[in-house]
Amino acid sequence: MENKLKIEILNITANFEFVLLGFSDIPNIQWILFGVFLVIYLTILMCNSIIILIIRIDSALQTPMYFFLSNFSFLEICYVTVTIPRMLMDLLTKKGNISFFACAAQMCFVLMFGGSECLLLTVMAYDRYVAICNPLHYTLVMNHKVCVQLVTVSWISTVPVVIGQTCQIFSLPFCGSNTISHFFCDIPPVLKLACGDTFVNEIAIYVVAVVFIMVPFLLTVFSYGKIISSILKLSSAKGRAKGFSTCSSHLIVVVLFYGTATITYLRPKPNQSEGVGKLISLFYTVLIPTLNPIIYTLRNKDIMVALRKLLTKLLM
């Protein structure tokens, strides 16, 4: 009898569907949004791929900083690919149906890549800290083996936590409405559909957010506090300007990414405004990944020089 009940529950779960409302509340501009997001997605793919390519082929960029940047660019490609293609399909078909397991998988990968970005940004801040505050030991501390280990930890450490978090959320009973007022399966809108008490889940979300958002953010702030202190001690104005220009790109990305992630995942309560939540999500899933390659290329002389060299080779 128990086995039959379990099989029935599994069958119901397998056939259960969510409906992503996305931007259905503004039907008149669906095609415009499709065009805009398609251009944005292709721009993200192209710009990050170019960054990875020039770092790979230019010998002047074979340093830890650019090794981390190439990994960050690849991570950005993975991150946007989890959400934007699905959003484009929904805008094109005007249907937001997503299966129970597809929704869980999407949430899992968004959290996994997002958590890895938080850790990798912290690693990049540490790299700048060692380069500016301890330059004589930089090559010894940030050797290739250490760099590979730091990147590996950034990619892998989020996996078991995120899988556990996703399983915990999707093991909740869902009853009543199956419509998610969002353009992807994010934690706050999915939790709103859960029946019963979600207090334990919310506490777990806070704990994970503190570990993978607040702790890396505080470590990054500490690193930049030390960096700024060291730069201000430099006697020459030229040296100070060079020091700040080296770190400014990364600092802008850190503020944008951590700011929006903190607002979303440290406030996962069901009473969070749907419109505000959707707007904030657009920032960290679409806008910031679009700005990142622009920030890193336009504000980085080495990348711009390598890009000009590549263009010159291609045009000759």
Side-chain angles (χ1 to χ4, degrees):
M1 190 72 179
E2 284 183 14
N3 289 334
K4 283 183 180 180
L5 187 61
K6 286 179 181 178
I7 291 167
E8 282 180 22
I9 291 168
L10 284 170
N11 287 336
I12 290 167
T13 304
N15 294 322
F16 186 79
E17 275 192 337
F18 291 108
V19 179
L20 293 166
L21 294 181
F23 304 97
S24 57
D25 53 332
I26 41 176
N28 295 332
I29 60 167
Q30 296 275 302
W31 285 105
I32 296 171
L33 289 174
F34 176 81
V36 169
F37 290 133
L38 178 62
V39 169
I40 286 173
Y41 181 58
L42 294 176
T43 302
I44 293 169
L45 292 184
M46 183 181 69
C47 292
N48 282 293
S49 297
I50 289 170
I51 290 173
I52 294 168
L53 177 65
I54 59 178
I55 289 172
R56 182 63 65 89
I57 65 174
D58 197 301
S59 58
L61 301 180
Q62 303 304 308
T63 63
M65 182 174 81
Y66 294 110
F67 173 71
F68 295 135
L69 180 56
S70 65
N71 274 275
F72 185 75
S73 294
F74 180 67
L75 191 53
E76 286 280 74
I77 291 171
C78 296
Y79 185 61
V80 297
T81 300
V82 178
T83 54
I84 299 181
R86 172 80 213 190
M87 183 168 58
L88 291 172
M89 186 182 77
D90 291 343
L91 286 168
L92 189 64
T93 60
K94 296 182 181 177
K95 294 177 182 178
N97 298 60
I98 183 169
S99 71
F100 183 88
F101 293 115
C103 188
Q106 187 183 51
M107 180 185 287
C108 184
F109 282 113
V110 166
L111 296 176
M112 198 182 296
F113 293 136
S116 294
E117 280 201 21
C118 289
L119 296 177
L120 194 54
L121 284 170
T122 306
V123 168
M124 292 166 78
Y126 175 69
D127 171 68
R128 291 300 83 211
Y129 163 73
V130 177
I132 292 171
C133 300
N134 199 6
L136 297 177
H137 296 95
Y138 179 68
T139 53
L140 182 65
V141 175
M142 299 303 291
N143 59 66
H144 183 68
K145 184 181 178 181
V146 170
C147 292
V148 171
Q149 287 172 343
L150 288 170
V151 168
T152 304
V153 168
S154 298
W155 276 91
I156 292 175
S157 58
T158 59
V159 175
V161 178
V162 167
I163 290 173
Q165 183 89 78
T166 307
C167 290
Q168 187 185 43
I169 290 169
F170 282 87
S171 64
L172 289 167
F174 293 94
C175 55
S177 175
N178 67 334
T179 55
I180 300 173
S181 184
H182 215 293
F183 55 89
F184 73 97
C185 293
D186 203 3
I187 291 176
V190 171
L191 270 184
K192 284 184 182 180
L193 305 182
C195 301
D197 188 14
T198 59
F199 178 74
V200 174
N201 298 86
E202 287 183 31
I203 293 298
I205 292 162
Y206 278 121
V207 171
V208 173
V210 166
V211 172
F212 288 101
I213 298 176
M214 288 308 298
V215 171
F217 176 67
L218 291 173
L219 289 172
T220 303
V221 169
F222 175 78
S223 297
Y224 274 103
K226 290 285 189 181
I227 288 167
I228 291 167
S229 176
S230 296
I231 291 171
L232 292 174
K233 288 177 184 176
L234 296 173
S235 56
S236 68
K238 188 177 180 181
R240 287 196 296 271
K242 186 179 179 182
F244 279 119
S245 67
T246 304
C247 302
S248 59
S249 302
H250 184 244
L251 195 56
I252 292 168
V253 172
V254 164
V255 171
L256 289 171
F257 186 79
Y258 280 116
T260 52
T262 301
I263 292 168
T264 301
Y265 296 110
L266 287 176
R267 292 180 59 209
K269 295 179 181 179
N271 60 0
Q272 186 180 7
S273 168
E274 291 178 358
V276 172
K278 204 181 291 186
L279 183 63
I280 293 168
S281 296
L282 271 176
F283 263 89
Y284 69 81
T285 57
V286 179
L287 182 62
I288 294 172
T290 309
L291 294 175
N292 284 350
I294 297 168
I295 292 167
Y296 278 117
T297 52
L298 294 180
R299 296 185 62 85
N300 190 304
K301 290 180 182 178
D302 294 334
I303 292 282
M304 291 303 291
V305 168
L307 186 57
R308 288 193 198 101
K309 282 163 64 177
L310 178 63
L311 291 172
T312 304
K313 285 181 181 179
L314 292 172
L315 295 172
M316 284 178 68

